[in-house]
Amino acid sequence: MAETYDTIIVGAGSAGCVLANRLSADPRHRVLLLEAGPRDTDPWIHIPLGYGKLFKKSSVNWSYWSEPEPQLNGRKIFTPRGKVLGGSSSINGLVYTRGQPEDFDDWETPGWSFGELLPYFRKSEDQARGADALHGRGGPLSVSDQNEPHELCDAFIEAAVQAGHPRNPDFNGERQEGAGYQQLTTRNARRCSTATGYLRPVMRRANLTVVTEALASKVLFEGTRAIGIRYLNDAKVIEANAQREVVLSGGAINTPQLLQLSGVGPAALLREHGVAVVLDQPHVGEHLQDHFQARIVLKCTRPITVNDDMQSLWRMARMGLRYAFLRKGPLAVSAGYAGGFWRTRPELKRPDVQTHFLTFSLDRMGEKLHPFSGFTASICQLRPTSRGSVRIRSADPRDPPAIRYNYLATEHDRRTMLEGMRLLRRILDQPAIRPYIAAEYLPGARVQSDDEWLAYFRETGSTIYHPTCTAKMGTGAGAVVDSHLRVKGLAGLRVVDASVMPAVVSGNTNAAVIAIAEKAADLIDSERGRRPS
Ligand SMILES: Cc1cc2nc3c(=O)[nH]c(=O)nc-3n(C[C@H](O)[C@H](O)[C@H](O)COP(=O)(O)OP(=O)(O)OC[C@H]3O[C@@H](n4cnc5c(N)ncnc54)[C@H](O)[C@@H]3O)c2cc1C
């Protein structure tokens, strides 16, 4: 006999764990949370620098590859996504930024302006710096400062100031522009994922059932009403009923895949793969937006980088001991120690590119560190105009979908990346950081002209892991969900995750997804007559 719940949430990632916590706060409300991956027992999840170890670890990572990218010499782009309790918040780079207020205002969706979302950012946060009008204290998501400064980061920030950019101690404060240290989602130098922040404290609630290694394969419909979920667990096919609704929180790649597998998507695509059409919705899986990134790698004049730490057993041991006893050192650092937000042209009103500054270097993320002292500074474009798609390749839920990013498809995006890299090089040419630079290793001085830069992007550029917008929210024709995140044209089905962003935010996406889920929980509560918390 099928199990029965009030709400079934698919995916225990950034959004799913928030929802599981908030919706199960009412003991009468029975919640089932399904997660395709395992529990978050891998020790590297909890050590900040461990993200490097998890980058390609298929036990906790979907490890997708894109289709050949037309503008990137036909390269397939490796696409990590968390497949574990906490989802991508368990494997991400821990950088905490919210984006710009204008991002949310520009969504032009009733209820989702920055002013209306700010209470949910604040509600989610346990901000080490304390509460004020823009920051929250006492929430489940611990937001910390880097545990100690690093002289390379200090030099980078000073160099940015010398290049004419403001110093910025808080990218989530009054203004985003400028250079500074990153904040990170840690508590006592351990990762604060949504699994540790939101889910773990409520796991014992009698009305919350969490099933791991459970791959949802189909939303079950009665006509156009979602009534439950079919999932695979331990080689068994199980069905669960949802008396109120099914909420999809599988992330911007998996949610459109599951919608399409369930008959909600472009009719021609569904028919091509033998899926019966429940709702012909051409926008499911379309409008994929992501941040494209290119990097400059510098050889350092002094042995002060993580590369150096990893070359010597003694230094590795010291690194381990400093972390174990003092909660300091490279093991406690996020995937962006410092960084900045810049305007590539003075007439722009707000930053259009972002830098992540790292005290290590490698050829490609997830690979071995360079054997020399090295560090990295990158540029990603914050509001790309190129759009891609996610489409099923077959009716088998275990087949990865076809992911097409279409990076650099527009002249605007190519120009912004070019200008961003030139801006970054100007920062790296300032007196404060020059003494630390032995040579530019990548791309190297040979790359100067537009064509040379573009060739470099095509050869090496990649994702910074922020896919969004594949089941857009909005009031217009391209929207898949309405302003309450309900799938238009159907009943009993909602999407709450990065897919619903109408446009990607200008920064790292985890904080915005968590705020979206906090607000969604309130919307769901208010719809069922419960006072929002
Ligand atoms: C390597 C990496 C680094 C990143 N770095 C940063 C960073 O430093 N800062 C930042 O702000 N953001 C970062 N991000 C992005 C950020 O983590 C994501 O935007 C955010 O976590 C997305 O949340 P989500 O809820 O949409 O999806 P996810 O957190 O990915 O959660 C989706 C969950 O659903 C599960 N699932 C999917 N399909 C099914 C199914 N059919 N059945 C059952 N379960 C399913 C998945 O296994 C997963 O656990 C990074 C992401 C990655 C991958």
Side-chain angles (χ1 to χ4, degrees):
M1 205 160 63
E3 312 146 20
T4 297
Y5 301 87
D6 293 299
T7 300
I8 299 175
I9 304 165
V10 175
S14 294
C17 290
V18 175
L19 289 174
N21 175 312
R22 299 300 186 198
L23 297 183
S24 66
D26 175 352
R28 293 164 305 175
H29 196 80
R30 293 157 303 165
V31 176
L32 170 65
L33 176 64
L34 295 177
E35 169 52 46
R39 296 173 70 101
D40 55 344
T41 50
D42 188 315
W44 284 114
I45 290 176
H46 305 287
I47 299 171
L49 193 67
Y51 64 80
K53 299 268 183 200
L54 307 171
F55 194 76
K56 289 191 168 167
K57 197 166 189 180
S58 55
S59 56
V60 294
N61 190 328
W62 292 88
S63 299
Y64 290 130
W65 286 91
S66 76
E67 298 300 291
E69 279 289 303
Q71 296 290 327
L72 303 185
N73 299 339
R75 281 186 300 125
K76 295 183 174 187
I77 300 301
F78 181 69
T79 300
R81 307 307 302 159
K83 185 183 183 183
V84 58
L85 287 186
S88 298
S89 79
S90 285
I91 68 160
N92 75 11
L94 300 97
V95 172
Y96 186 76
T97 68
R98 292 171 174 169
Q100 301 164 0
E102 295 88 339
D103 295 331
F104 307 95
D105 297 344
D106 288 352
W107 286 356
E108 292 182 345
T109 309
W112 293 88
S113 68
F114 180 67
E116 288 160 304
L117 215 46
L118 179 58
Y120 296 102
F121 280 114
R122 294 185 72 244
K123 179 179 181 181
S124 69
E125 286 176 0
D126 190 13
Q127 176 50 268
R129 299 176 181 182
D132 61 23
L134 289 172
H135 304 87
R137 181 94 209 189
L141 184 74
S142 178
V143 181
S144 313
D145 290 305
Q146 305 286 357
N147 278 352
E148 56 188 346
H150 190 291
E151 64 174 288
L152 263 178
C153 298
D154 287 341
F156 174 75
I157 295 165
E158 186 55 34
V161 172
Q162 289 170 345
H165 304 281
R167 193 182 294 276
N168 189 346
D170 184 4
F171 296 134
N172 303 306
E174 288 297 336
R175 71 170 172 186
Q176 190 196 45
E177 185 174 9
Y181 278 94
Q182 303 280 11
Q183 284 205 297
L184 61 165
T185 42
T186 54
R187 175 172 282 125
N188 195 21
R190 286 173 65 79
R191 178 189 292 274
C192 184
S193 67
T194 54
T196 51
Y198 281 87
L199 189 60
R200 197 173 286 172
V202 303
M203 280 286 254
R204 286 178 192 280
R205 283 181 184 161
N207 59 327
L208 173 63
T209 306
V210 181
V211 187
T212 52
E213 323 262 2
L215 177 71
S217 56
K218 206 178 194 50
V219 179
L220 304 171
F221 288 97
E222 213 168 67
T224 52
R225 162 167 281 281
I227 54 159
I229 276 283
R230 181 175 299 153
Y231 64 96
L232 313 174
N233 178 227
D234 217 6
K236 289 196 291 281
V237 179
I238 301 171
E239 291 191 354
N241 296 328
Q243 289 198 324
R244 281 191 166 274
E245 65 177 340
V246 174
V247 183
L248 304 186
S249 297
I253 307 294
N254 293 47
T255 284
Q257 179 195 24
L258 183 55
L259 282 168
Q260 291 167 5
L261 288 170
S262 309
V264 182
L269 174 77
L270 307 189
R271 289 200 186 100
E272 183 189 331
H273 298 294
V275 176
V277 178
V278 175
L279 177 73
D280 177 13
Q281 171 40 286
H283 298 282
V284 169
E286 299 302 302
H287 313 290
L288 172 64
Q289 206 181 4
D290 187 25
H291 290 140
F292 175 77
Q293 159 177 254
R295 300 172 308 134
I296 294 182
V297 172
L298 295 311
K299 282 189 162 180
C300 188
T301 49
R302 298 184 40 211
I304 53 172
T305 67
V306 182
N307 298 13
D308 303 292
D309 291 324
M310 300 306 279
Q311 295 303 317
S312 123
L313 278 178
W314 144 245
R315 282 180 68 158
M316 275 201 279
R318 194 180 64 158
M319 194 164 91
L321 290 171
R322 285 197 78 223
Y323 181 70
F325 292 107
L326 303 173
R327 296 287 181 210
K328 287 189 171 171
L331 285 166
V333 170
S334 59
Y337 206 142
F341 290 87
W342 333 108
R343 286 175 297 136
T344 56
R345 287 174 286 127
E347 67 272 22
L348 293 177
K349 290 204 166 56
R350 52 190 174 120
D352 58 341
V353 293
Q354 177 182 6
T355 287
H356 290 81
F357 185 84
L358 304 105
T359 55
F360 61 81
S361 70
L362 29 63
D363 278 340
R364 268 173 292 276
M365 275 305 288
E367 295 188 355
K368 266 187 155 28
L369 297 182
H370 288 134
F372 51 80
S373 309
F375 60 100
T376 306
S378 69
I379 284 288
C380 71
Q381 183 191 3
L382 292 172
R383 292 179 296 284
T385 51
S386 305
R387 293 287 190 283
S389 62
V390 174
R391 295 178 190 153
I392 49 169
R393 242 195 282 252
S394 82
D396 185 340
R398 290 159 302 191
D399 263 1
I403 304 166
R404 293 181 181 86
Y405 290 109
N406 269 330
Y407 295 122
L408 301 183
T410 67
E411 177 58 21
H412 172 78
D413 292 0
R414 293 191 287 270
R415 179 91 355 240
T416 305
M417 284 302 296
L418 281 167
E419 287 166 0
M421 291 308 260
R422 292 208 163 102
L423 180 154
L424 181 58
R425 253 201 191 152
R426 280 196 295 279
I427 294 175
L428 295 168
D429 195 29
Q430 298 301 316
I433 195 155
R434 234 183 277 138
Y436 290 94
I437 300 176
E440 186 183 291
Y441 177 71
L442 283 176
R446 69 182 169 87
V447 169
Q448 296 293 340
S449 70
D450 286 7
D451 286 348
E452 286 161 351
W453 270 120
L454 274 172
Y456 178 67
F457 300 156
R458 295 187 201 288
E459 219 175 290
T460 66
S462 189
T463 173
I464 193 158
Y465 332 118
H466 298 158
T468 52
C469 309
T470 48
K472 284 196 329 176
M473 161 176 69
T475 48
V480 172
V481 299
D482 67 13
S483 61
H484 279 220
L485 309 182
R486 298 169 292 213
V487 177
K488 293 178 175 189
L490 299 172
L493 186 61
R494 220 181 280 259
V495 177
V496 182
D497 60 24
S499 333
V500 302
M501 289 189 195
V504 69
V505 294
S506 305
N508 312 72
T509 41
N510 191 40
V513 171
I514 290 169
I516 288 170
E518 284 278 16
K519 179 166 171 101
D522 263 8
L523 289 172
I524 293 169
D525 272 350
S526 62
E527 280 171 31
R528 62 191 170 102
R530 194 169 171 257
R531 256 161 58 112
S533 45

